[in-house]
């Protein structure tokens, strides 16, 4: 076990908070995926996040806070934003809001935009860490830019282990897919990224929501590149039969014959179970002995919208 991988005990959470306050990077669990955290008020710490991930600097980061009170010091909350936070925080929803001039946030965290994405994660370890750090923490998913997001501490160690001072290990992430990103800058709420809070739940509260999630039609979401979440092997969607040497990501009780191997996202067709398994299974099938990864069709409702979004990007032509 690498020495910087540590169980998320109270002592190690305290140590992680001290490291964050000193400008170091710490990977920590959230209910969605593991984050690569740095002090969001430090330009130098945020620059290190971009460097560690190899992330383009036009792609802004999500800033994490314990809750609404801390968030209101950083961004302007209108009535809609308060209602969203009251309903879904702590939880897998990030809100894009006007950044306060006096927020003290790194400019680089917002990639120079006058907005900021804020999220209060529900994971107990994330909450304890944010409270102990006592300052907002910028945290993208703890993977190399463009690759598959990490849902275990081991995924982080394998990909970014030498870039972080500490990785807090609290086991696999329960949701397994990133937060929903909702833009509340314009008159109409806009979905920038489908995620852990299904669109249907947002629509219940807001009525109509603009969809700004597809590659080209998403000028407001600078980081939504067509190719993302990509394993090494090519990914083929809506597979109903095998091609030579392919591994299969199956959904439902039965896999078509002829695949070199198969993993089941959910045998019972449960989309929450499939979301929790998605990234770990993509990693497990990303082996040189397979020619590619085929994925069975997955319904595009509820969490299926976020699953299909990630799979489409995993299958997109690589940069
Ligand atoms: O679940 C999550 O959201 C995880 C965990 C660690 O919290 N974090 C995460 O961060 O997925 P990241 O950096 O991988 O994705 C952030 C997304 C990107 O698509 C980025 O473009 C968008 O949020 N974003 C951030 N700030 C924005 C802003 N001011 N305006 C528009 N989009 C923004
Ligand atoms: Mg990411």
């Amino acid at each position: 076990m690498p020495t910087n991988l540590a169980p998320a005990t109270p002592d190690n959470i305290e140590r992680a908070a001290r490291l964050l306050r000193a400008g170091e990077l710490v990977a920590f669990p959230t209910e969605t995926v593991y984050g690569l955290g740095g002090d969001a008020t430090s330009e130098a710490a945020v620059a290190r996040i971009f460097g560690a991930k190899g992330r383009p600097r036009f792609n802004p980061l999500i800033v994490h806070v314990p809750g609404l009170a801390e968030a209101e010091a950083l961004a302007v909350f209108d009535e809609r934003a308060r209602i969203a936070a009251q309903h879904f925080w702590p939880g897998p929803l990030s809100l894009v809001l006007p950044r306060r001039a006096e927020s003290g946030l790194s400019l680089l965290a917002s990639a120079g935009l006058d907005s900021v994405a804020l999220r209060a994660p529900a994971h107990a370890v994330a909450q304890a860490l944010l409270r102990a750090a006592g300052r907002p923490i910028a945290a993208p998913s703890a993977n190399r830019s463009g690759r598959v997001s990490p849902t275990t501490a081991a995924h982080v160690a394998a990909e970014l282990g030498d870039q972080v001072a500490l990785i807090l290990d609290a086991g696999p992430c329960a949701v397994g897919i990133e937060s929903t990103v909702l833009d509340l800058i314009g008159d109409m709420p806009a979905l920038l990224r489908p995620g852990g809070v299904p669109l249907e739940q947002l629509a219940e509260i807001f009525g109509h929501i603009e969809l700004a999630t597809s590659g080209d039609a998403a000028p407001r979401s600078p980081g939504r590149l067509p190719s993302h979440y990509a394993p090494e092997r090519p990914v083929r969607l809506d597979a109903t039969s095998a091609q030579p040497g392919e591994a299969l990501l199956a959904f439902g009780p039965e896999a078509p014959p002829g695949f070199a191997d198969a993993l089941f996202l959910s045998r019972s067709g449960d989309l929450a179970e499939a979301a929790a398994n998605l990234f770990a299974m993509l990693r497990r099938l990303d082996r040189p002995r397979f020619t590619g990864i085929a994925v069975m069709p997955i319904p595009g409702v509820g969490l299926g919208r976020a699953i299909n979004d990630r799979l489409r990007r995993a299958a997109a032509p690589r940069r």
Side-chain angles (χ1 to χ4, degrees):
M1 191 196 266
T3 48
N4 63 349
L5 190 60
T9 59
D11 279 358
N12 285 331
I13 292 171
E14 269 306 321
R15 180 151 70 98
R18 279 197 303 276
L19 287 164
L20 286 170
R21 285 196 300 270
E24 301 282 343
L25 303 188
V26 169
F28 64 97
T30 81
E31 74 278 25
T32 58
V33 300
Y34 275 74
L36 176 65
D39 179 352
T41 66
S42 160
E43 217 65 73
V46 172
R48 291 175 78 171
I49 296 178
F50 279 90
K53 277 186 66 95
R55 178 169 175 125
R57 291 196 174 211
F58 57 77
N59 188 3
L61 306 179
I62 294 173
V63 173
H64 296 66
V65 289
L68 181 57
E70 294 81 2
E72 293 213 53
L74 306 176
V76 181
F77 279 67
D78 61 11
E79 193 53 28
R80 295 176 307 181
R82 246 175 240 125
I83 288 172
Q86 276 153 11
H87 267 88
F88 298 107
W89 281 5
L93 179 69
S94 297
L95 299 174
V96 176
L97 298 168
R99 189 187 145 106
R100 285 192 191 278
E102 70 282 12
S103 68
L105 291 173
S106 140
L107 290 172
L108 189 54
S110 289
L113 301 171
D114 48 20
S115 59
V116 62
L118 296 176
R119 155 159 136 84
H123 198 292
V125 171
Q127 278 286 329
L129 179 65
L130 291 168
R131 290 188 191 282
R135 60 189 69 182
I137 299 300
S141 49
N143 51 279
R144 301 272 313 156
S145 186
R147 311 311 299 230
V148 180
S149 301
T151 53
T152 69
H155 296 160
V156 182
E159 209 159 317
L160 290 176
D162 53 348
Q163 310 265 6
V164 292
L166 190 66
I167 303 170
L168 285 176
D169 185 354
C173 301
V175 175
I177 209 152
E178 295 87 343
S179 62
T180 301
V181 180
L182 184 69
D183 184 330
L184 293 177
I185 302 276
D187 289 338
M188 180 77 76
L191 183 74
L192 300 187
R193 177 176 76 181
V197 171
L199 179 65
E200 291 85 342
Q201 286 185 25
L202 295 173
E204 263 175 43
I205 289 170
F206 293 109
H208 189 69
I209 292 174
E210 195 186 319
L211 299 184
T213 52
S214 67
D216 301 339
R220 278 189 278 163
S221 192
R224 305 249 58 211
L225 301 171
S227 171
H228 200 150
Y229 313 103
E232 305 261 340
R233 251 42 63 192
V235 174
R236 187 168 68 87
L237 303 183
D238 297 322
T240 48
S241 61
Q243 294 191 358
E246 267 184 338
L248 179 70
L249 257 188
F251 183 80
E254 262 159 303
F259 286 95
D261 199 353
L263 291 175
F264 286 78
L265 287 168
S266 171
R267 286 185 190 267
S268 65
D270 176 8
L271 290 168
E273 185 187 6
N277 282 331
L278 178 66
F279 290 138
M281 289 186 173
L282 273 176
R283 282 172 187 265
R284 278 169 59 193
L285 293 180
D286 197 12
R287 296 277 177 270
R289 67 173 187 276
F290 302 128
T291 55
I293 304 170
V295 189
M296 286 173 66
I298 295 167
V301 297
L303 286 174
R305 193 182 298 270
I307 295 172
N308 281 307
D309 170 82
R310 305 306 187 270
L311 285 170
R312 267 196 304 277
R313 289 172 208 273
R318 310 289 161 84
R319 276 163 286 166

